[in-house]
Amino acid sequence: MADRDSRAGHSYATREILDWLARTHAPHDAAAARTFDAPSAHGMPAIQLGASEAKAVGLLLKLAGAKKVVEVGTLAGYSALVMERALPADGHVWTVESDPKHARIARGNLEAAGLASKVTVLEGAGLAVLPALEPLGPFDAVFVDADKSNYDAYGRWAARNVRKGGLLVGDNAFLFGRLLEDSAEAAAMRRFHEEAAETFDTACLPTPDGMLLGLKR
């Protein structure tokens, strides 16, 4: 149920509640903590998924029976680590990172977690790297958390390369509150929403910055 305030957009998710929920439902072991904390330790932007959001993506992959997952936007490898742990023993994640430093740190974190053979970090711009993955498809899921101005193009790639019944997940779907602005970046994000809804059964969860979910028709 929802009360009048929550229907109007009020959130009851205080910092204290969110921290307690993360400790209860998405605790970190040493490898996950190392990877989650890596951006701050290495002077990188700390823009990775929160623990609860990452756990939710992992649960979605399990529910979809995913084995082959593509991620656009690696950062330090945290979401790739969580997603790979949600896959069966023969599962694999291919993750694309444009920044060489970030890719190097992600590889180190994934190796330390024992996942070097389970996660392939591909270095380069997303739109340049993704076509090389197409012979490995169709994929069970695509997770997008990268440069926002290209979300519409990433969504089109997912529509072509995800199997029927497969998942599209896009983080930052509210564009940090700028979704309805009159800007090229906001227009690209709106196209991501609109075009995804044409190919996938979609919903957008009200996570702190929105998470688009789609199931391929």
Side-chain angles (χ1 to χ4, degrees):
M1 62 176 287
D3 62 13
R4 182 169 54 188
D5 289 342
S6 58
R7 287 190 188 279
H10 176 77
S11 174
Y12 296 111
T14 66
R15 182 73 266 165
E16 292 78 10
I17 288 175
L18 291 174
D19 288 345
W20 184 89
L21 291 170
R23 291 193 302 269
T24 301
H25 299 293
H28 284 160
D29 61 12
R34 167 195 167 118
T35 309
F36 186 84
D37 294 339
S40 297
H42 294 279
M44 301 160 61
I47 53 176
Q48 69 273 28
L49 282 178
S52 293
E53 288 81 10
K55 181 66 177 292
V57 172
L59 290 175
L60 289 170
L61 294 178
K62 287 184 178 182
L63 288 169
K67 292 184 179 181
K68 298 163 65 177
V69 177
V70 173
E71 175 184 48
V72 188
T74 312
L75 196 65
Y78 176 68
S79 50
L81 179 150
V82 174
M83 289 192 295
E84 173 53 38
R85 286 178 166 181
L87 304 185
D90 57 347
H92 199 90
V93 174
W94 292 267
T95 181
V96 182
E97 175 54 52
S98 63
D99 188 299
K101 174 185 174 181
H102 298 178
R104 174 178 54 81
I105 291 169
R107 289 190 187 101
N109 288 331
L110 294 165
E111 182 176 2
L115 298 177
S117 65
K118 297 286 190 176
V119 181
T120 300
V121 180
L122 301 163
E123 191 174 318
L127 294 181
V129 173
L130 287 173
L133 287 175
E134 292 177 10
L136 301 173
F139 298 97
D140 301 304
V142 171
F143 173 58
V144 182
D145 189 10
D147 50 311
K148 312 312 171 193
S149 60
N150 283 318
Y151 261 47
D152 53 347
Y154 298 142
R156 291 180 204 122
W157 188 89
R160 295 192 303 270
N161 291 280
V162 169
R163 65 165 170 82
K164 183 177 180 179
L167 293 172
L168 169 64
V169 182
D171 194 32
N172 303 122
F174 295 164
L175 192 60
F176 310 105
R178 296 186 281 107
L179 179 62
L180 303 183
E181 282 185 354
D182 182 13
S183 68
E185 191 174 51
M189 184 65 80
R190 290 194 298 272
R191 285 193 296 272
F192 174 67
H193 283 266
E194 293 161 353
E195 294 175 8
E198 294 174 359
T199 306
F200 298 81
D201 287 328
T202 52
C204 191
L205 300 183
T207 60
D209 194 36
M211 183 174 287
L212 183 142
L213 306 178
L215 190 70
K216 180 81 171 285
R217 294 190 187 97

